[in-house]
Each structure stands twice: as C-alpha cells, then as structure tokens.
Amino acid sequence: GAGVSQSPSNKVTEKGKDVELRCDPISGHTALYWYRQSLGQGLEFLIYFQGNSAPDKSGLPSDRFSAERTGGSVSTLTIQRTQQEDSAVYLCASSLRPSGPTEAFFGQGTRLTVV
Amino acid sequence: AQTVTQSQPEMSVQEAETVTLSCTYDTSESDYYLFWYKQPPSRQMILVIRQEAYKQQNATENRFSVNFQKAAKSFSLKISDSQLGDAAMYFCAYRSGSNYKLTFGKGTLLTVNP
C-alpha cells in the first residue's frame, strides 16, 4: 500500500481480555517499529524488527506484551490480560533502512481503551 | 541513555506570525540525527524536517527551519507565516548514528489563532 496501515483504528476491550493490533508496513521497508503514546506523554519505544534479525524487545513493558512479524511484512502486537494502564495509542512505523537520517513512516495508530 | 526534552507543553501563535518550538537533548555521541515530527488530530506522525549532526548548516523546508546548536545540544523549530493547518502536536526526536531507536520528547501542542 501507499502508507503504513494499522487496524483496528479504535479498540475498546474489557479488562483481562487479550487484544491483537495489526500493522501493515510500506512494501519493501525492512525496519518496523512499535511505539506507545499515552495521554500527555511522548512516544515510548516498544519493539523493533529488522529483516530476519532477532527483534529488539527491550521496550516491552511486561511479559503480557508480545509481537511478531510474519514473512518480514505484517506485524501483530498482542497484549494479554489487558489492564487499564494499557490504554493508549499504539503507533507502528516502518523505514527503508534502520539507521541514518532515513525517515520513519508512521501509521495512524490504534487507540486502545481498556474498561 | 539519550533524552529529549521539550520544555513547552503548549504554544500559540497568530496566523501569519512566526513561532519557535524548543527542544534540547542529551547525548554523548557525535554521530546522530534529529527530527521534528508533526501529529495532527488524525494521529498520523508526519516528518517535518531532519538534521544530520555533522552538518553545520541549519535544515530548511519551506516555512520550516531549525536552529541547530550542537554545543548547546539545542534543536529548535521555527515556523514562519503560520497557517491554520500547522496546528498540531509537534515532537522532537533523536536517533543515534549507530542505533535504530527514535527517542521522542513529550511534545508541544501548537495552536494557531485566526
């Protein structure tokens, strides 16, 4: 597609339920990032994928969070047993190369609300 | 660890006027890149301007320019001839030359008054 696509756009879930957030990066982009944006905060790094290399999971806040990237393309962020503090906008970005001044292109994010 | 600080949670400007958004960062590295991203209500982050640390010349993109002071670790964004469409959240971001993570500040909400 022309840009980074994320689905769903909005998600309301009950506390304790599992959720899956999807990211479809720009075709040909080898690097893919997930960020979390909480109210009044900046963007918090969650996880990074680069080609077939092992992902950098250092930003995942707890073991309830996991992510995978299949075939070097689509990525899914899964949050198990959701808590109210998980409520945030989850942003996905991709870039052609992982370093340098290369621009990271962002999707429109998924707004997750845990009630 | 690198940190990015935006000291102005909110700013406002009159249409057609000029506004400057502040950003400071902390790093011990010499090779890095700086970015300003705009986030309108649609939530999609859009790159406004970028600066390579090794370049002394300040980057410019149409009405947007930066004042990059490497020694002071300052990277401010100037918006000239402000337009209503400039109203958005603006984030300053840092990336090391040897690392892929983008580190963001907490953002500045810019309001443009007609």
Side-chain angles (χ1 to χ4, degrees):
Chain A
V4 177
S5 177
Q6 290 189 248
S7 60
S9 180
N10 293 282
K11 175 73 176 177
V12 179
T13 189
E14 293 181 351
K15 179 181 173 181
K17 300 280 190 181
D18 297 352
V19 295
E20 283 190 355
L21 312 180
R22 176 188 169 103
C23 173
D24 199 342
I26 294 172
S27 178
H29 281 195
T30 61
L32 186 147
Y33 310 76
W34 283 98
Y35 284 84
R36 178 168 70 175
Q37 184 178 18
S38 302
L39 188 64
Q41 302 296 313
L43 276 70
E44 173 191 10
F45 169 80
L46 296 178
I47 189 169
Y48 164 80
F49 296 89
Q50 169 56 35
N52 295 320
S53 302
D56 178 351
K57 305 179 181 180
S58 61
L60 295 178
S62 77
D63 59 9
R64 295 187 296 105
F65 288 72
S66 63
E68 63 177 19
R69 187 179 185 189
T70 54
S73 182
V74 172
S75 177
T76 302
L77 177 68
T78 301
I79 309 173
Q80 296 179 310
R81 305 182 301 282
T82 52
Q83 304 294 312
Q84 288 186 330
E85 59 263 30
D86 299 333
S87 296
V89 174
Y90 290 82
L91 291 165
C92 176
S94 70
S95 66
L96 190 58
R97 288 182 298 275
S99 60
T102 307
E103 177 179 356
F105 292 83
F106 284 80
Q108 290 185 302
T110 294
R111 182 180 297 280
L112 176 65
T113 304
V114 182
V115 298
Chain B
Q2 292 84 15
T3 58
V4 177
T5 302
Q6 294 180 248
S7 59
Q8 307 153 316
E10 297 183 23
M11 291 283 284
S12 64
V13 62
Q14 291 297 124
E15 198 175 2
E17 296 294 310
T18 296
V19 64
T20 298
L21 308 184
S22 300
C23 173
T24 59
Y25 57 95
D26 185 25
T27 185
S28 58
E29 300 180 333
S30 59
D31 180 25
Y32 54 87
Y33 306 89
L34 297 165
F35 306 83
W36 277 98
Y37 277 87
K38 170 185 177 181
Q39 187 182 41
S42 67
R43 297 199 306 247
Q44 186 159 14
M45 303 278 283
I46 302 165
L47 179 67
V48 174
I49 198 165
R50 81 191 85 190
Q51 175 81 40
E52 291 92 331
Y54 62 85
K55 289 187 177 179
Q56 292 190 333
Q57 186 174 5
N58 290 326
T60 299
E61 289 286 344
N62 300 313
R63 298 182 295 107
F64 299 87
S65 62
V66 299
N67 183 5
F68 174 47
Q69 300 290 326
K70 191 171 184 178
K73 296 179 183 174
S74 172
F75 182 61
S76 60
L77 175 70
K78 185 172 82 171
I79 306 174
S80 304
D81 186 25
S82 297
Q83 300 177 0
L84 295 178
D86 295 334
M89 184 73 85
Y90 286 81
F91 291 95
C92 179
Y94 169 101
R95 175 189 278 156
S96 162
S98 59
N99 194 299
Y100 41 77
K101 291 180 188 177
L102 273 172
T103 301
F104 288 86
K106 291 191 175 183
T108 297
L109 180 63
L110 178 66
T111 301
V112 180
N113 301 309

Short mmCIF file of all heavy atoms in Angstrom, two decimals, chain B residues 37-68:
data_model
loop_
_atom_site.label_atom_id
_atom_site.label_comp_id
_atom_site.label_asym_id
_atom_site.label_seq_id
_atom_site.Cartn_x
_atom_site.Cartn_y
_atom_site.Cartn_z
N TYR B 37 8.71 15.96 14.13
CA TYR B 37 7.51 15.32 13.60
C TYR B 37 6.29 16.13 14.02
O TYR B 37 6.22 16.68 15.11
CB TYR B 37 7.36 13.89 14.12
CG TYR B 37 8.15 12.85 13.36
CD1 TYR B 37 9.47 12.57 13.72
CD2 TYR B 37 7.59 12.14 12.30
CE1 TYR B 37 10.19 11.60 13.04
CE2 TYR B 37 8.31 11.18 11.61
CZ TYR B 37 9.62 10.92 11.98
OH TYR B 37 10.34 9.96 11.31
N LYS B 38 5.31 16.14 13.13
CA LYS B 38 4.02 16.80 13.40
C LYS B 38 2.96 15.72 13.53
O LYS B 38 2.92 14.77 12.73
CB LYS B 38 3.70 17.72 12.23
CG LYS B 38 2.31 18.30 12.21
CD LYS B 38 2.10 19.10 10.92
CE LYS B 38 0.68 19.66 10.81
NZ LYS B 38 0.48 20.41 9.54
N GLN B 39 2.10 15.85 14.55
CA GLN B 39 1.00 14.92 14.72
C GLN B 39 -0.31 15.68 14.77
O GLN B 39 -0.69 16.23 15.81
CB GLN B 39 1.19 14.07 15.97
CG GLN B 39 0.14 12.97 16.10
CD GLN B 39 0.31 12.15 17.37
OE1 GLN B 39 0.58 12.69 18.44
NE2 GLN B 39 0.14 10.84 17.27
N PRO B 40 -1.04 15.73 13.68
CA PRO B 40 -2.36 16.38 13.68
C PRO B 40 -3.38 15.50 14.40
O PRO B 40 -3.05 14.39 14.81
CB PRO B 40 -2.67 16.53 12.19
CG PRO B 40 -1.89 15.44 11.53
CD PRO B 40 -0.66 15.21 12.37
N PRO B 41 -4.62 15.97 14.53
CA PRO B 41 -5.65 15.15 15.20
C PRO B 41 -5.87 13.79 14.56
O PRO B 41 -6.36 12.87 15.22
CB PRO B 41 -6.90 16.03 15.09
CG PRO B 41 -6.36 17.42 15.05
CD PRO B 41 -5.08 17.33 14.26
N SER B 42 -5.49 13.62 13.32
CA SER B 42 -5.62 12.30 12.68
C SER B 42 -4.69 11.27 13.29
O SER B 42 -4.81 10.07 13.02
CB SER B 42 -5.31 12.42 11.18
OG SER B 42 -3.94 12.73 10.97
N ARG B 43 -3.78 11.70 14.13
CA ARG B 43 -2.81 10.86 14.87
C ARG B 43 -1.60 10.44 14.05
O ARG B 43 -0.64 9.92 14.60
CB ARG B 43 -3.46 9.59 15.44
CG ARG B 43 -4.53 9.79 16.46
CD ARG B 43 -4.76 8.53 17.28
NE ARG B 43 -5.03 7.35 16.48
CZ ARG B 43 -6.21 6.72 16.47
NH1 ARG B 43 -7.22 7.21 17.15
NH2 ARG B 43 -6.37 5.63 15.75
N GLN B 44 -1.63 10.62 12.74
CA GLN B 44 -0.52 10.14 11.93
C GLN B 44 0.67 11.09 12.03
O GLN B 44 0.58 12.26 11.70
CB GLN B 44 -0.93 9.99 10.47
CG GLN B 44 0.13 9.36 9.61
CD GLN B 44 -0.42 8.76 8.35
OE1 GLN B 44 -1.56 9.02 7.98
NE2 GLN B 44 0.35 7.93 7.69
N MET B 45 1.80 10.57 12.46
CA MET B 45 3.02 11.35 12.58
C MET B 45 3.58 11.65 11.19
O MET B 45 3.73 10.74 10.37
CB MET B 45 4.06 10.57 13.39
CG MET B 45 3.61 10.16 14.76
SD MET B 45 3.80 11.47 15.95
CE MET B 45 5.55 11.40 16.22
N ILE B 46 3.92 12.91 10.97
CA ILE B 46 4.45 13.33 9.68
C ILE B 46 5.79 14.01 9.90
O ILE B 46 5.90 14.91 10.74
CB ILE B 46 3.48 14.32 9.00
CG1 ILE B 46 2.10 13.66 8.83
CG2 ILE B 46 4.02 14.77 7.65
CD1 ILE B 46 1.01 14.65 8.50
N LEU B 47 6.79 13.60 9.15
CA LEU B 47 8.10 14.22 9.28
C LEU B 47 8.06 15.64 8.72
O LEU B 47 7.61 15.87 7.61
CB LEU B 47 9.16 13.42 8.52
CG LEU B 47 10.57 13.99 8.58
CD1 LEU B 47 11.12 13.91 10.00
CD2 LEU B 47 11.49 13.26 7.61
N VAL B 48 8.53 16.59 9.53
CA VAL B 48 8.56 17.99 9.13
C VAL B 48 9.93 18.35 8.59
O VAL B 48 10.07 18.96 7.52
CB VAL B 48 8.19 18.90 10.31
CG1 VAL B 48 8.37 20.37 9.94
CG2 VAL B 48 6.76 18.64 10.78
N ILE B 49 10.96 17.96 9.34
CA ILE B 49 12.31 18.36 8.97
C ILE B 49 13.30 17.48 9.71
O ILE B 49 13.00 16.95 10.78
CB ILE B 49 12.52 19.86 9.30
CG1 ILE B 49 13.72 20.44 8.56
CG2 ILE B 49 12.63 20.08 10.80
CD1 ILE B 49 13.75 21.97 8.58
N ARG B 50 14.48 17.30 9.12
CA ARG B 50 15.52 16.49 9.75
C ARG B 50 16.86 17.21 9.65
O ARG B 50 17.06 18.04 8.77
CB ARG B 50 15.60 15.11 9.10
CG ARG B 50 16.38 15.07 7.79
CD ARG B 50 16.21 13.77 7.05
NE ARG B 50 15.01 13.78 6.23
CZ ARG B 50 14.52 12.71 5.62
NH1 ARG B 50 15.10 11.55 5.77
NH2 ARG B 50 13.44 12.81 4.89
N GLN B 51 17.75 16.85 10.57
CA GLN B 51 19.07 17.47 10.62
C GLN B 51 20.11 16.42 10.94
O GLN B 51 19.95 15.67 11.91
CB GLN B 51 19.09 18.55 11.72
CG GLN B 51 20.44 19.20 11.97
CD GLN B 51 20.77 20.30 10.98
OE1 GLN B 51 19.92 21.09 10.59
NE2 GLN B 51 22.02 20.37 10.57
N GLU B 52 21.15 16.36 10.14
CA GLU B 52 22.28 15.49 10.47
C GLU B 52 23.24 16.26 11.36
O GLU B 52 23.57 17.42 11.06
CB GLU B 52 23.01 15.05 9.19
CG GLU B 52 22.22 14.10 8.32
CD GLU B 52 21.39 14.78 7.24
OE1 GLU B 52 20.96 15.94 7.46
OE2 GLU B 52 21.17 14.18 6.19
N ALA B 53 23.71 15.66 12.42
CA ALA B 53 24.54 16.36 13.39
C ALA B 53 25.86 16.84 12.79
O ALA B 53 26.43 17.84 13.24
CB ALA B 53 24.81 15.47 14.59
N TYR B 54 26.35 16.13 11.77
CA TYR B 54 27.64 16.51 11.20
C TYR B 54 27.53 17.72 10.27
O TYR B 54 28.53 18.29 9.86
CB TYR B 54 28.28 15.34 10.45
CG TYR B 54 27.51 14.84 9.26
CD1 TYR B 54 27.63 15.43 8.00
CD2 TYR B 54 26.63 13.76 9.38
CE1 TYR B 54 26.92 14.96 6.91
CE2 TYR B 54 25.91 13.29 8.29
CZ TYR B 54 26.06 13.89 7.05
OH TYR B 54 25.35 13.43 5.98
N LYS B 55 26.31 18.11 9.96
CA LYS B 55 26.11 19.27 9.09
C LYS B 55 25.94 20.53 9.93
O LYS B 55 25.08 20.57 10.81
CB LYS B 55 24.89 19.07 8.20
CG LYS B 55 25.07 18.02 7.12
CD LYS B 55 23.87 18.00 6.18
CE LYS B 55 24.08 16.99 5.06
NZ LYS B 55 22.91 16.93 4.13
N GLN B 56 26.74 21.52 9.67
CA GLN B 56 26.63 22.76 10.43
C GLN B 56 25.48 23.63 9.94
O GLN B 56 24.91 24.41 10.69
CB GLN B 56 27.94 23.53 10.36
CG GLN B 56 29.08 22.85 11.11
CD GLN B 56 30.29 23.72 11.23
OE1 GLN B 56 30.52 24.60 10.39
NE2 GLN B 56 31.08 23.51 12.26
N GLN B 57 25.15 23.47 8.67
CA GLN B 57 24.09 24.30 8.11
C GLN B 57 22.74 23.85 8.63
O GLN B 57 22.42 22.65 8.63
CB GLN B 57 24.11 24.21 6.58
CG GLN B 57 23.13 25.14 5.90
CD GLN B 57 23.29 25.13 4.39
OE1 GLN B 57 24.06 24.34 3.84
NE2 GLN B 57 22.56 25.99 3.71
N ASN B 58 21.95 24.81 9.05
CA ASN B 58 20.61 24.50 9.55
C ASN B 58 19.69 24.06 8.42
O ASN B 58 19.67 24.67 7.35
CB ASN B 58 20.01 25.73 10.23
CG ASN B 58 20.69 26.05 11.53
OD1 ASN B 58 21.13 25.16 12.26
ND2 ASN B 58 20.80 27.33 11.84
N ALA B 59 18.92 23.00 8.67
CA ALA B 59 17.99 22.50 7.67
C ALA B 59 16.80 23.45 7.50
O ALA B 59 16.37 24.11 8.46
CB ALA B 59 17.49 21.11 8.08
N THR B 60 16.30 23.50 6.28
CA THR B 60 15.14 24.33 5.95
C THR B 60 14.23 23.57 5.01
O THR B 60 14.71 22.91 4.07
CB THR B 60 15.59 25.64 5.27
OG1 THR B 60 16.42 26.37 6.16
CG2 THR B 60 14.39 26.50 4.92
N GLU B 61 12.93 23.64 5.28
CA GLU B 61 11.93 23.05 4.41
C GLU B 61 10.77 24.06 4.30
O GLU B 61 9.90 24.12 5.14
CB GLU B 61 11.40 21.73 4.98
CG GLU B 61 12.36 20.58 4.94
CD GLU B 61 12.57 20.00 3.55
OE1 GLU B 61 11.74 20.29 2.66
OE2 GLU B 61 13.56 19.28 3.36
N ASN B 62 10.81 24.85 3.25
CA ASN B 62 9.77 25.85 3.01
C ASN B 62 9.65 26.77 4.23
O ASN B 62 10.58 27.47 4.56
CB ASN B 62 8.46 25.16 2.66
CG ASN B 62 8.58 24.30 1.42
OD1 ASN B 62 9.12 24.73 0.41
ND2 ASN B 62 8.10 23.06 1.51
N ARG B 63 8.50 26.78 4.89
CA ARG B 63 8.29 27.70 6.02
C ARG B 63 8.90 27.19 7.33
O ARG B 63 8.84 27.87 8.35
CB ARG B 63 6.79 27.91 6.22
CG ARG B 63 6.08 28.57 5.04
CD ARG B 63 4.60 28.79 5.34
NE ARG B 63 3.87 27.53 5.50
CZ ARG B 63 3.43 27.07 6.67
NH1 ARG B 63 3.64 27.76 7.78
NH2 ARG B 63 2.77 25.94 6.72
N PHE B 64 9.46 25.99 7.29
CA PHE B 64 10.01 25.38 8.50
C PHE B 64 11.54 25.42 8.45
O PHE B 64 12.14 25.07 7.44
CB PHE B 64 9.54 23.93 8.61
CG PHE B 64 8.04 23.78 8.72
CD1 PHE B 64 7.25 23.72 7.59
CD2 PHE B 64 7.44 23.72 9.96
CE1 PHE B 64 5.88 23.59 7.70
CE2 PHE B 64 6.06 23.58 10.08
CZ PHE B 64 5.28 23.52 8.95
N SER B 65 12.12 25.84 9.53
CA SER B 65 13.57 25.83 9.62
C SER B 65 13.97 25.49 11.05
O SER B 65 13.15 25.58 11.97
CB SER B 65 14.15 27.19 9.22
OG SER B 65 13.68 28.20 10.09
N VAL B 66 15.21 25.07 11.20
CA VAL B 66 15.68 24.73 12.54
C VAL B 66 16.87 25.61 12.90
O VAL B 66 17.56 26.14 12.03
CB VAL B 66 16.07 23.24 12.66
CG1 VAL B 66 14.88 22.35 12.38
CG2 VAL B 66 17.25 22.91 11.74
N ASN B 67 17.06 25.75 14.20
CA ASN B 67 18.25 26.38 14.74
C ASN B 67 18.98 25.31 15.52
O ASN B 67 18.59 24.97 16.65
CB ASN B 67 17.90 27.57 15.63
CG ASN B 67 19.13 28.28 16.14
OD1 ASN B 67 20.27 27.96 15.77
ND2 ASN B 67 18.94 29.26 17.01
N PHE B 68 19.99 24.72 14.91
CA PHE B 68 20.72 23.60 15.49
C PHE B 68 21.99 24.13 16.14
O PHE B 68 22.88 24.66 15.46
CB PHE B 68 21.06 22.59 14.40
CG PHE B 68 21.93 21.45 14.84
CD1 PHE B 68 21.67 20.76 16.01
CD2 PHE B 68 23.02 21.05 14.07
CE1 PHE B 68 22.47 19.71 16.42
CE2 PHE B 68 23.82 19.99 14.46
CZ PHE B 68 23.55 19.32 15.63
#
